[in-house]
Amino acid sequence: MPVSGDAATLALVLDLLGTFVFGLSGGTLAVRRGLDIIGVLVLSTAAALAGGMARDVLLGATPVAALADSRYLLAALVAGLAAFLGHPLVERLGKPVMVFDALGLGLFAVTGCRKALAYGMDPLPSLLLGVVTAAGGGVLRDLLVAEVPRVLRGEIYALAALLGAGVVVLGDGLGLPAAPVTLAGVGAAFLLRLVSVRRGWDAPRSPWS
């Protein structure tokens, strides 16, 4: 079932922000790898849109938002151009790919989960779709430059997305206001991802691996 009013507006704003941020992560990585302008835009677009498109296809929300609303594609392309033209400025932020990726992870985990809940999905599938939304763009971005995706490296990546989505599910179950719960979910995923990278935390591994 579709959402409306303030919740829909907040979801759209966060979805577009996540699209732009993930686009920056893809574009920045492409510039670092020495790709040309087309390569930068392709990587930016892939990183920005893949997760949301996968979410919408799985929900049956077609045509997917990234194709039905040109603002998504525009946000991805603007992010790619920003990375291409302003790379030195972006690099001054310090580890920009990781920072943008962490922020995009939190934004997409929350919006993906919230959209799934709005379409009547149960909490567990909604958590899964939050993770798919958050990780999908990063997976495709890394594969296109022949890197092992972060979600498979043992880093706290999918777990951070799961935390952000979990905050949304919990808040929704308790009937808490959508806006503060959404922002808390984004912050939780973002902070866990950043702290885990800084401290070198990894996801649990089998003792037999």
Side-chain angles (χ1 to χ4, degrees), residues 41-52:
L41 293 178
V42 166
L43 209 62
S44 174
T45 302
L49 302 182

Side-chain angles (χ1 to χ4, degrees), residues 7 27 34 46-47 50 64 71 81 84 106 130 140 147 149 151 161 198 201 204-205:
V64 297
R71 288 175 293 185
L81 289 173
F84 183 79
L140 183 56
E147 286 188 4
V151 72
R198 184 176 181 84
W201 295 345
R205 298 174 185 267

Side-chain angles (χ1 to χ4, degrees), residues 32-189:
R32 286 181 173 180
R33 291 301 184 92
L35 303 187
D36 63 16
I37 179 62
I38 300 301
V40 171
L41 293 178
V42 166
L43 209 62
S44 174
T45 302
L49 302 182
M53 292 177 74
R55 171 201 65 201
D56 289 351
V57 168
L58 291 171
L59 283 174
T62 55
V64 297
L67 300 181
D69 188 338
S70 60
R71 288 175 293 185
Y72 286 92
L73 182 57
L74 182 61
L77 293 175
V78 169
L81 289 173
F84 183 79
L85 298 173
H87 186 69
L89 179 61
V90 173
E91 286 287 358
R92 290 178 192 171
L93 296 175
K95 297 184 178 179
V97 174
M98 188 272 290
V99 173
F100 294 144
D101 188 65
L103 181 55
L105 185 79
L107 289 165
F108 273 0
V110 165
T111 58
C113 180
R114 190 163 288 290
K115 186 166 187 177
L117 289 170
Y119 272 75
M121 302 292 286
D122 288 337
L124 188 58
S126 296
L127 285 172
L128 176 61
L129 277 178
V131 175
V132 167
T133 308
V139 168
L140 183 56
R141 174 200 63 208
D142 293 344
L143 289 175
L144 286 173
V145 292
E147 286 188 4
V148 177
R150 284 173 171 80
V151 72
L152 301 178
R153 295 183 198 172
E155 300 179 12
I156 304 294
Y157 196 84
L159 287 177
L162 189 62
L163 174 62
V167 170
V168 171
V169 167
L170 180 61
D172 186 75
L174 294 174
L176 299 177
V181 168
T182 296
L183 295 177
V186 173

Side-chain angles (χ1 to χ4, degrees), residues 5-6 9 60 66 78 82 104-105 111 119 143 145 184-185 194 197 202 204 206 208:
D6 293 341
T9 300
V78 169
L105 185 79
T111 58
Y119 272 75
L143 289 175
V145 292
L194 286 187
V197 171
D202 287 330
S206 168
W208 313 113

